[in-house]
Amino acid sequence: MATGLEWGDQYLLGIKGIDEQHRYLFEIVGRIASLDAVTSSKEELRQILGELSRYMSEHFRDEEAYLQQIGFPELEYHKKLHREIIEFFNASITNSPTIAMIQTKLKFIIKKALIDHIINEDMKIKLYCATQQVDTDEYVYDLG
Ligand SMILES: [Fe+2]
């Protein structure tokens, strides 16, 4: 069933490492979306949410290191946005103790925490690389 939370090519930045990590974030989200609210245990949910939270932090760290490397001008602002996403995500999750509640709110949480950020903010990285002719082969995105 389509949830609107699937990965799509419209999210591609053309920077291989970032794209791979973004794709993997969507994959984890898909696992939460497909959890059976009746038969899945809270422990299962807790584990996947923990994985998502950890992977998100890891990804932000790698992305920020890359932005530093390529001299991205709005690095501090971008870092601040990443911090806000983590806080928003953690607050939303903490306030939603059941699988059904998480799944109901998931679309809103992920849209705000992941999709809007990629579309509105990470796309500026793509634009910057294009206008500054950053050689994305020369600056290697280190996957940690
Ligand atoms: Fe970002």
PDB file of all heavy atoms in Angstrom, residues 13 18 22 59-60 63-64 67 78-79 81-82 85 114 117-118 121-123 125, ligand 1:
ATOM      1  N   LEU A  13      19.841  14.017  -5.028  1.00  0.00           N
ATOM      2  CA  LEU A  13      20.668  15.227  -5.102  1.00  0.00           C
ATOM      3  C   LEU A  13      21.766  15.057  -6.148  1.00  0.00           C
ATOM      4  O   LEU A  13      22.417  16.021  -6.525  1.00  0.00           O
ATOM      5  CB  LEU A  13      21.345  15.520  -3.757  1.00  0.00           C
ATOM      6  CG  LEU A  13      20.505  15.738  -2.507  1.00  0.00           C
ATOM      7  CD1 LEU A  13      21.385  16.304  -1.408  1.00  0.00           C
ATOM      8  CD2 LEU A  13      19.344  16.656  -2.765  1.00  0.00           C
ATOM      9  N   ILE A  18      25.104  10.878  -0.137  1.00  0.00           N
ATOM     10  CA  ILE A  18      23.917  11.458   0.514  1.00  0.00           C
ATOM     11  C   ILE A  18      22.671  10.726   0.026  1.00  0.00           C
ATOM     12  O   ILE A  18      21.804  10.352   0.822  1.00  0.00           O
ATOM     13  CB  ILE A  18      23.776  12.972   0.213  1.00  0.00           C
ATOM     14  CG1 ILE A  18      24.980  13.747   0.748  1.00  0.00           C
ATOM     15  CG2 ILE A  18      22.489  13.520   0.824  1.00  0.00           C
ATOM     16  CD1 ILE A  18      24.893  15.254   0.552  1.00  0.00           C
ATOM     17  N   HIS A  22      19.905   8.838   2.302  1.00  0.00           N
ATOM     18  CA  HIS A  22      18.494   9.243   2.282  1.00  0.00           C
ATOM     19  C   HIS A  22      17.606   8.053   1.937  1.00  0.00           C
ATOM     20  O   HIS A  22      16.575   7.822   2.550  1.00  0.00           O
ATOM     21  CB  HIS A  22      18.279  10.355   1.246  1.00  0.00           C
ATOM     22  CG  HIS A  22      18.715  11.708   1.731  1.00  0.00           C
ATOM     23  ND1 HIS A  22      18.926  12.771   0.889  1.00  0.00           N
ATOM     24  CD2 HIS A  22      18.993  12.168   2.972  1.00  0.00           C
ATOM     25  CE1 HIS A  22      19.307  13.823   1.590  1.00  0.00           C
ATOM     26  NE2 HIS A  22      19.370  13.488   2.857  1.00  0.00           N
ATOM     27  N   HIS A  59      23.658  10.157   9.725  1.00  0.00           N
ATOM     28  CA  HIS A  59      23.546  10.770   8.400  1.00  0.00           C
ATOM     29  C   HIS A  59      23.798  12.272   8.472  1.00  0.00           C
ATOM     30  O   HIS A  59      24.523  12.834   7.652  1.00  0.00           O
ATOM     31  CB  HIS A  59      22.161  10.484   7.809  1.00  0.00           C
ATOM     32  CG  HIS A  59      21.807  11.416   6.701  1.00  0.00           C
ATOM     33  ND1 HIS A  59      22.543  11.503   5.542  1.00  0.00           N
ATOM     34  CD2 HIS A  59      20.824  12.345   6.582  1.00  0.00           C
ATOM     35  CE1 HIS A  59      22.012  12.439   4.760  1.00  0.00           C
ATOM     36  NE2 HIS A  59      20.973  12.961   5.366  1.00  0.00           N
ATOM     37  N   PHE A  60      23.204  12.917   9.447  1.00  0.00           N
ATOM     38  CA  PHE A  60      23.398  14.365   9.576  1.00  0.00           C
ATOM     39  C   PHE A  60      24.867  14.684   9.800  1.00  0.00           C
ATOM     40  O   PHE A  60      25.408  15.638   9.245  1.00  0.00           O
ATOM     41  CB  PHE A  60      22.557  14.924  10.737  1.00  0.00           C
ATOM     42  CG  PHE A  60      21.079  14.982  10.441  1.00  0.00           C
ATOM     43  CD1 PHE A  60      20.152  15.066  11.468  1.00  0.00           C
ATOM     44  CD2 PHE A  60      20.615  14.966   9.125  1.00  0.00           C
ATOM     45  CE1 PHE A  60      18.792  15.131  11.198  1.00  0.00           C
ATOM     46  CE2 PHE A  60      19.244  15.031   8.847  1.00  0.00           C
ATOM     47  CZ  PHE A  60      18.341  15.115   9.891  1.00  0.00           C
ATOM     48  N   GLU A  63      26.657  14.234   6.526  1.00  0.00           N
ATOM     49  CA  GLU A  63      26.279  15.299   5.584  1.00  0.00           C
ATOM     50  C   GLU A  63      26.952  16.614   5.964  1.00  0.00           C
ATOM     51  O   GLU A  63      27.462  17.343   5.108  1.00  0.00           O
ATOM     52  CB  GLU A  63      24.755  15.451   5.573  1.00  0.00           C
ATOM     53  CG  GLU A  63      24.247  16.341   4.441  1.00  0.00           C
ATOM     54  CD  GLU A  63      22.730  16.488   4.459  1.00  0.00           C
ATOM     55  OE1 GLU A  63      22.044  15.580   3.983  1.00  0.00           O
ATOM     56  OE2 GLU A  63      22.232  17.517   4.959  1.00  0.00           O
ATOM     57  N   GLU A  64      26.988  16.908   7.260  1.00  0.00           N
ATOM     58  CA  GLU A  64      27.623  18.149   7.719  1.00  0.00           C
ATOM     59  C   GLU A  64      29.120  18.146   7.422  1.00  0.00           C
ATOM     60  O   GLU A  64      29.686  19.170   7.031  1.00  0.00           O
ATOM     61  CB  GLU A  64      27.364  18.346   9.226  1.00  0.00           C
ATOM     62  CG  GLU A  64      25.916  18.741   9.516  1.00  0.00           C
ATOM     63  CD  GLU A  64      25.519  18.542  10.982  1.00  0.00           C
ATOM     64  OE1 GLU A  64      26.401  18.311  11.828  1.00  0.00           O
ATOM     65  OE2 GLU A  64      24.302  18.608  11.265  1.00  0.00           O
ATOM     66  N   LEU A  67      29.473  18.959   3.829  1.00  0.00           N
ATOM     67  CA  LEU A  67      29.201  20.376   3.560  1.00  0.00           C
ATOM     68  C   LEU A  67      30.409  21.235   3.927  1.00  0.00           C
ATOM     69  O   LEU A  67      30.735  22.201   3.243  1.00  0.00           O
ATOM     70  CB  LEU A  67      27.960  20.850   4.333  1.00  0.00           C
ATOM     71  CG  LEU A  67      26.629  20.222   3.911  1.00  0.00           C
ATOM     72  CD1 LEU A  67      25.477  20.853   4.666  1.00  0.00           C
ATOM     73  CD2 LEU A  67      26.410  20.360   2.411  1.00  0.00           C
ATOM     74  N   HIS A  78      22.332  25.119   8.409  1.00  0.00           N
ATOM     75  CA  HIS A  78      21.922  23.748   8.068  1.00  0.00           C
ATOM     76  C   HIS A  78      22.069  22.808   9.268  1.00  0.00           C
ATOM     77  O   HIS A  78      21.227  21.950   9.518  1.00  0.00           O
ATOM     78  CB  HIS A  78      22.734  23.239   6.868  1.00  0.00           C
ATOM     79  CG  HIS A  78      22.057  22.140   6.115  1.00  0.00           C
ATOM     80  ND1 HIS A  78      21.347  22.337   4.961  1.00  0.00           N
ATOM     81  CD2 HIS A  78      21.949  20.815   6.378  1.00  0.00           C
ATOM     82  CE1 HIS A  78      20.839  21.180   4.549  1.00  0.00           C
ATOM     83  NE2 HIS A  78      21.201  20.241   5.390  1.00  0.00           N
ATOM     84  N   LYS A  79      23.143  23.024  10.028  1.00  0.00           N
ATOM     85  CA  LYS A  79      23.352  22.220  11.253  1.00  0.00           C
ATOM     86  C   LYS A  79      22.228  22.452  12.248  1.00  0.00           C
ATOM     87  O   LYS A  79      21.751  21.529  12.904  1.00  0.00           O
ATOM     88  CB  LYS A  79      24.673  22.624  11.921  1.00  0.00           C
ATOM     89  CG  LYS A  79      25.902  21.957  11.358  1.00  0.00           C
ATOM     90  CD  LYS A  79      27.095  22.375  12.207  1.00  0.00           C
ATOM     91  CE  LYS A  79      28.362  21.668  11.803  1.00  0.00           C
ATOM     92  NZ  LYS A  79      29.520  22.212  12.530  1.00  0.00           N
ATOM     93  N   LEU A  81      19.177  23.319  11.567  1.00  0.00           N
ATOM     94  CA  LEU A  81      17.982  22.625  11.082  1.00  0.00           C
ATOM     95  C   LEU A  81      18.039  21.137  11.431  1.00  0.00           C
ATOM     96  O   LEU A  81      17.041  20.546  11.840  1.00  0.00           O
ATOM     97  CB  LEU A  81      17.848  22.794   9.565  1.00  0.00           C
ATOM     98  CG  LEU A  81      17.586  24.212   9.061  1.00  0.00           C
ATOM     99  CD1 LEU A  81      17.581  24.243   7.534  1.00  0.00           C
ATOM    100  CD2 LEU A  81      16.257  24.744   9.588  1.00  0.00           C
ATOM    101  N   HIS A  82      19.221  20.553  11.290  1.00  0.00           N
ATOM    102  CA  HIS A  82      19.380  19.136  11.634  1.00  0.00           C
ATOM    103  C   HIS A  82      19.074  18.902  13.108  1.00  0.00           C
ATOM    104  O   HIS A  82      18.384  17.947  13.469  1.00  0.00           O
ATOM    105  CB  HIS A  82      20.807  18.663  11.328  1.00  0.00           C
ATOM    106  CG  HIS A  82      21.072  18.435   9.870  1.00  0.00           C
ATOM    107  ND1 HIS A  82      22.330  18.221   9.367  1.00  0.00           N
ATOM    108  CD2 HIS A  82      20.217  18.366   8.808  1.00  0.00           C
ATOM    109  CE1 HIS A  82      22.245  18.037   8.058  1.00  0.00           C
ATOM    110  NE2 HIS A  82      20.987  18.134   7.690  1.00  0.00           N
ATOM    111  N   ILE A  85      15.403  18.981  13.718  1.00  0.00           N
ATOM    112  CA  ILE A  85      14.722  17.769  13.242  1.00  0.00           C
ATOM    113  C   ILE A  85      14.835  16.667  14.288  1.00  0.00           C
ATOM    114  O   ILE A  85      13.849  16.005  14.621  1.00  0.00           O
ATOM    115  CB  ILE A  85      15.319  17.289  11.899  1.00  0.00           C
ATOM    116  CG1 ILE A  85      14.935  18.261  10.792  1.00  0.00           C
ATOM    117  CG2 ILE A  85      14.839  15.878  11.573  1.00  0.00           C
ATOM    118  CD1 ILE A  85      15.566  17.951   9.455  1.00  0.00           C
ATOM    119  N   LEU A 114      11.795  14.627   7.321  1.00  0.00           N
ATOM    120  CA  LEU A 114      12.667  14.062   6.287  1.00  0.00           C
ATOM    121  C   LEU A 114      12.397  14.688   4.921  1.00  0.00           C
ATOM    122  O   LEU A 114      13.269  15.310   4.313  1.00  0.00           O
ATOM    123  CB  LEU A 114      12.438  12.539   6.248  1.00  0.00           C
ATOM    124  CG  LEU A 114      13.357  11.707   5.386  1.00  0.00           C
ATOM    125  CD1 LEU A 114      14.806  11.859   5.846  1.00  0.00           C
ATOM    126  CD2 LEU A 114      12.950  10.231   5.450  1.00  0.00           C
ATOM    127  N   HIS A 117      12.688  18.575   4.526  1.00  0.00           N
ATOM    128  CA  HIS A 117      14.089  18.976   4.658  1.00  0.00           C
ATOM    129  C   HIS A 117      14.867  18.679   3.366  1.00  0.00           C
ATOM    130  O   HIS A 117      15.645  19.515   2.908  1.00  0.00           O
ATOM    131  CB  HIS A 117      14.746  18.276   5.851  1.00  0.00           C
ATOM    132  CG  HIS A 117      16.195  18.616   6.011  1.00  0.00           C
ATOM    133  ND1 HIS A 117      16.628  19.829   6.505  1.00  0.00           N
ATOM    134  CD2 HIS A 117      17.314  17.925   5.698  1.00  0.00           C
ATOM    135  CE1 HIS A 117      17.952  19.855   6.495  1.00  0.00           C
ATOM    136  NE2 HIS A 117      18.395  18.710   6.012  1.00  0.00           N
ATOM    137  N   ILE A 118      14.648  17.514   2.798  1.00  0.00           N
ATOM    138  CA  ILE A 118      15.356  17.161   1.561  1.00  0.00           C
ATOM    139  C   ILE A 118      14.947  18.121   0.439  1.00  0.00           C
ATOM    140  O   ILE A 118      15.788  18.692  -0.251  1.00  0.00           O
ATOM    141  CB  ILE A 118      15.058  15.696   1.145  1.00  0.00           C
ATOM    142  CG1 ILE A 118      15.653  14.728   2.170  1.00  0.00           C
ATOM    143  CG2 ILE A 118      15.623  15.402  -0.248  1.00  0.00           C
ATOM    144  CD1 ILE A 118      15.336  13.257   1.912  1.00  0.00           C
ATOM    145  N   GLU A 121      15.736  22.084   1.767  1.00  0.00           N
ATOM    146  CA  GLU A 121      17.073  22.463   2.245  1.00  0.00           C
ATOM    147  C   GLU A 121      18.209  21.699   1.573  1.00  0.00           C
ATOM    148  O   GLU A 121      19.171  22.299   1.120  1.00  0.00           O
ATOM    149  CB  GLU A 121      17.153  22.283   3.765  1.00  0.00           C
ATOM    150  CG  GLU A 121      16.136  23.117   4.534  1.00  0.00           C
ATOM    151  CD  GLU A 121      16.283  24.623   4.298  1.00  0.00           C
ATOM    152  OE1 GLU A 121      17.405  25.084   4.012  1.00  0.00           O
ATOM    153  OE2 GLU A 121      15.257  25.334   4.393  1.00  0.00           O
ATOM    154  N   ASP A 122      18.089  20.368   1.512  1.00  0.00           N
ATOM    155  CA  ASP A 122      19.188  19.607   0.915  1.00  0.00           C
ATOM    156  C   ASP A 122      19.322  19.915  -0.576  1.00  0.00           C
ATOM    157  O   ASP A 122      20.416  19.820  -1.146  1.00  0.00           O
ATOM    158  CB  ASP A 122      18.992  18.100   1.129  1.00  0.00           C
ATOM    159  CG  ASP A 122      19.217  17.697   2.581  1.00  0.00           C
ATOM    160  OD1 ASP A 122      19.793  18.509   3.335  1.00  0.00           O
ATOM    161  OD2 ASP A 122      18.816  16.588   2.963  1.00  0.00           O
ATOM    162  N   MET A 123      18.220  20.318  -1.209  1.00  0.00           N
ATOM    163  CA  MET A 123      18.290  20.670  -2.627  1.00  0.00           C
ATOM    164  C   MET A 123      19.206  21.882  -2.855  1.00  0.00           C
ATOM    165  O   MET A 123      19.737  22.074  -3.941  1.00  0.00           O
ATOM    166  CB  MET A 123      16.889  20.945  -3.190  1.00  0.00           C
ATOM    167  CG  MET A 123      16.111  19.688  -3.507  1.00  0.00           C
ATOM    168  SD  MET A 123      16.932  18.646  -4.746  1.00  0.00           S
ATOM    169  CE  MET A 123      16.119  17.072  -4.462  1.00  0.00           C
ATOM    170  N   ILE A 125      22.012  22.151  -1.567  1.00  0.00           N
ATOM    171  CA  ILE A 125      23.360  21.570  -1.720  1.00  0.00           C
ATOM    172  C   ILE A 125      23.575  21.223  -3.194  1.00  0.00           C
ATOM    173  O   ILE A 125      24.622  21.507  -3.767  1.00  0.00           O
ATOM    174  CB  ILE A 125      23.518  20.295  -0.852  1.00  0.00           C
ATOM    175  CG1 ILE A 125      23.179  20.579   0.604  1.00  0.00           C
ATOM    176  CG2 ILE A 125      24.928  19.738  -0.987  1.00  0.00           C
ATOM    177  CD1 ILE A 125      23.061  19.317   1.475  1.00  0.00           C
TER     178      ILE A 125
HETATM  179 FE    FE B   1      20.402  18.069   5.473  1.00  0.00          FE
END
